[in-house]
Amino acid sequence: MDVKVFMEALEGLEEKGITKDVVFDALEEALLNACKQHFGTKDNFTVFIDRDKIECRIIQSREVVEEVENEVDQISLEDAVKIDKVFKVGDTVNTEIDTKEFSRVATQNAKGTITQRLRDVEKSNIYSEYSELNNTVVTGIVQRFMGRTICIDLGKVDAFLPEKEQVKGEHYRQSDRIKVFILKVEKNNKGVKVNVSRTHPALVKGLFNEEVSEIRDGIVEIKNVAREAGSRTKISVYSTDENVDPVGACVGVNGTRVNAIVDELNGEKIDIINWSENPAQLIENALSPAKVIGVIADEEEKTAQVIVPDYQLSLAIGKSGQNARLAARLTNYKIDIKSETQARESGEFDEYFVDGDDYYYDEEGEYYEDEEYYYEDDYSEEDSTEESADEVKEDDE
């Protein structure tokens, strides 16, 4: 058996993360298996590989006996003294095996052993590499379409973007470069399978992490993300440095940072609001761009009563209830929105927002312009729904 056949496997393997030591170990295992298949055992065979000269020797150890019963592990005294006159019964004779004597089947099986071993190592290396990228954003190239599933080339492995993880309205073409969020990396008999998503809220978070240096440095934190993929996302941000405006950092000069993310998401709107440890303030911010008269937040029940000016009710609820729905997801509160007229008629306005102590209300009736960043598009009253806040809450549940 020509060992050089196996040495060809070294070419280009290091680029795949397979070291020469792995190849030599695989070669050793393959040759021992070939011995077992050819001689029926591998127990008395040893493989020696010169890793510098890339040379291989197989040594067979046999016991010197008067009468040979098993030629594989025994040698007669007569034959032993031909090798060296010092040998006597009970000694061990080591002789080198000519691998050319191996059967063709043993040779092919040995090659198969090496190939399989290298594939297993390559698979393990790829799995380890991409497991570290789990729950992160990566760039891939659209390679082919498998029914409604899109196969994306990530470099060393293909990722699968199923229909349920695709954004409705997005259209992909072969060779398109897209950002995807790695949902799960798993290893099976066929190799490594990577499942990715374009709809997951963490995709937006990952894109901001790539685009905003203050987030990477830990100065600005993304507290939460609420997303309706392809339409709108709300994110709440907080700065650990009072001198750094978290919203401004995410928006960038002239909106360059956020616009780069919007472009990657094919025009999906992104609202960026200031996070607050005060739940009432947080809920008010989350309902931007609608102006709020007052918020009563029950931290234990995770519910909130919100009153807005009559002309702001449709804006607060949003088109098809989207603004209220996203605000509820962003804050993790069930939000009940009423207009000022509705609140006065029910008595809640006087009960909670005039004499109560636990409220957030501007008694002067002045609504300040906050620093939250949001798109005014799609928030016009003529586009907003007139459905009640209770219906929005039930739909979200």
Side-chain angles (χ1 to χ4, degrees):
M1 179 176 58
D2 189 355
V3 177
K4 291 183 179 179
V5 172
F6 301 103
M7 293 299 100
E8 293 176 359
L10 288 173
E11 298 179 3
L13 289 178
E14 289 189 345
E15 296 180 3
K16 298 181 179 182
I18 302 176
T19 64
K20 291 182 179 179
D21 288 340
V22 170
V23 177
F24 287 129
D25 289 343
L27 175 60
E28 181 178 337
E29 179 185 353
L31 291 176
L32 287 175
N33 288 338
C35 289
K36 182 176 181 179
Q37 187 157 13
H38 185 74
F39 295 103
T41 181
K42 63 178 180 179
D43 294 340
N44 60 316
F45 293 89
T46 305
V47 177
F48 295 94
I49 299 177
D50 187 327
R51 303 193 177 193
D52 294 324
K53 297 180 180 180
I54 312 183
E55 294 178 351
C56 177
R57 298 171 62 221
I58 301 177
I59 304 300
Q60 181 182 18
S61 300
R62 291 178 290 176
E63 182 185 1
V64 179
V65 295
E66 288 286 357
E67 185 176 346
V68 175
E69 296 179 356
N70 185 338
E71 294 182 352
V72 175
D73 54 19
Q74 293 178 341
I75 184 173
S76 67
L77 178 60
E78 181 182 356
D79 290 337
V81 295
K82 291 179 181 179
I83 298 173
D84 196 321
K85 295 181 179 180
V86 300
F87 286 120
K88 58 184 182 297
V89 174
D91 288 346
T92 299
V93 177
N94 295 323
T95 55
E96 185 172 350
I97 298 299
D98 185 357
T99 56
K100 293 181 180 179
E101 297 178 0
F102 284 0
S103 68
R104 184 174 182 180
V105 173
T107 302
Q108 292 298 324
N109 288 343
K111 291 175 64 176
T113 299
I114 290 179
T115 302
Q116 185 60 46
R117 177 72 177 274
L118 297 182
R119 285 175 180 171
D120 291 341
V121 172
E122 183 180 5
K123 185 194 305 182
S124 295
N125 289 343
I126 292 175
Y127 177 75
S128 297
E129 178 180 345
Y130 283 89
S131 290
E132 295 179 359
L133 297 176
N134 202 27
N135 296 324
T136 63
V137 174
V138 296
T139 301
I141 300 175
V142 176
Q143 189 174 46
R144 63 183 184 275
F145 299 88
M146 303 162 52
R148 296 183 182 274
T149 298
I150 300 174
C151 183
I152 299 173
D153 181 8
L154 297 184
K156 296 181 180 179
V157 69
D158 290 338
F160 298 93
L161 181 65
E163 183 182 16
K164 66 178 182 179
E165 300 297 340
Q166 299 172 26
V167 178
K168 293 181 179 180
E170 284 191 349
H171 300 285
Y172 314 97
R173 295 175 299 178
Q174 195 171 16
S175 300
D176 281 351
R177 296 179 65 87
I178 60 173
K179 301 275 189 177
V180 292
F181 178 76
I182 296 182
L183 290 173
K184 186 177 182 181
V185 180
E186 55 187 356
K187 184 166 58 174
N188 54 38
N189 294 333
K190 295 182 179 180
V192 178
K193 183 179 181 181
V194 180
N195 294 317
V196 297
S197 173
R198 284 280 294 178
T199 63
H200 201 286
L203 173 63
V204 179
K205 188 174 182 179
L207 292 174
F208 271 99
N209 185 67
E210 289 183 354
E211 196 70 32
V212 182
S213 59
E214 290 84 351
I215 293 178
R216 294 195 301 273
D217 295 338
I219 299 173
V220 173
E221 299 177 7
I222 296 179
K223 290 293 188 176
N224 203 3
V225 178
R227 184 185 185 200
E228 293 189 356
S231 179
R232 185 176 296 273
T233 290
K234 284 180 180 284
I235 71 170
S236 55
V237 294
Y238 172 78
S239 175
T240 58
D241 186 341
E242 61 181 11
N243 296 317
V244 176
D245 172 24
V247 175
C250 292
V251 173
V253 178
N254 296 324
T256 53
R257 288 176 170 177
V258 70
N259 286 336
I261 297 171
V262 169
D263 289 342
E264 175 60 39
L265 298 177
N266 293 311
E268 182 175 317
K269 302 296 189 294
I270 300 177
D271 300 340
I272 308 172
I273 65 112
N274 278 301
W275 179 85
S276 174
E277 62 182 7
N278 182 329
Q281 179 66 67
L282 176 61
I283 291 168
E284 178 183 356
N285 294 348
L287 287 170
S288 295
K291 303 306 177 183
V292 175
I293 293 177
V295 178
I296 293 292
D298 188 328
E299 294 189 54
E300 292 185 1
E301 298 294 330
K302 291 295 181 179
T303 59
Q305 300 288 329
V306 178
I307 295 180
V308 299
D310 291 359
Y311 69 94
Q312 292 277 293
L313 180 60
S314 296
L315 192 62
I317 295 174
K319 186 177 182 179
S320 301
Q322 185 182 68
N323 192 51
R325 189 166 54 248
L326 287 176
R329 293 174 186 170
L330 189 70
T331 61
N332 293 319
Y333 273 74
K334 292 182 179 180
I335 301 175
D336 182 13
I337 305 174
K338 287 183 171 62
S339 68
E340 183 176 350
T341 298
Q342 292 172 334
R344 289 187 182 279
E345 290 176 351
S346 65
E348 293 179 6
F349 188 89
D350 294 334
E351 180 181 356
Y352 293 117
F353 296 99
V354 176
D355 299 325
D357 294 328
D358 186 16
Y359 64 86
Y360 186 84
Y361 171 58
D362 184 353
E363 294 184 356
E364 300 296 326
E366 298 177 356
Y367 309 110
Y368 64 91
E369 292 291 338
D370 56 36
E371 297 179 351
E372 272 68 52
Y373 178 86
Y374 56 86
Y375 287 84
E376 294 184 358
D377 298 344
D378 301 338
Y379 276 126
S380 62
E381 289 190 28
E382 61 184 24
D383 289 336
S384 300
T385 181
E386 292 295 337
E387 65 180 301
S388 70
D390 290 334
E391 290 175 336
V392 171
K393 181 175 65 176
E394 291 174 1
D395 289 343
D396 193 43
E397 292 175 351

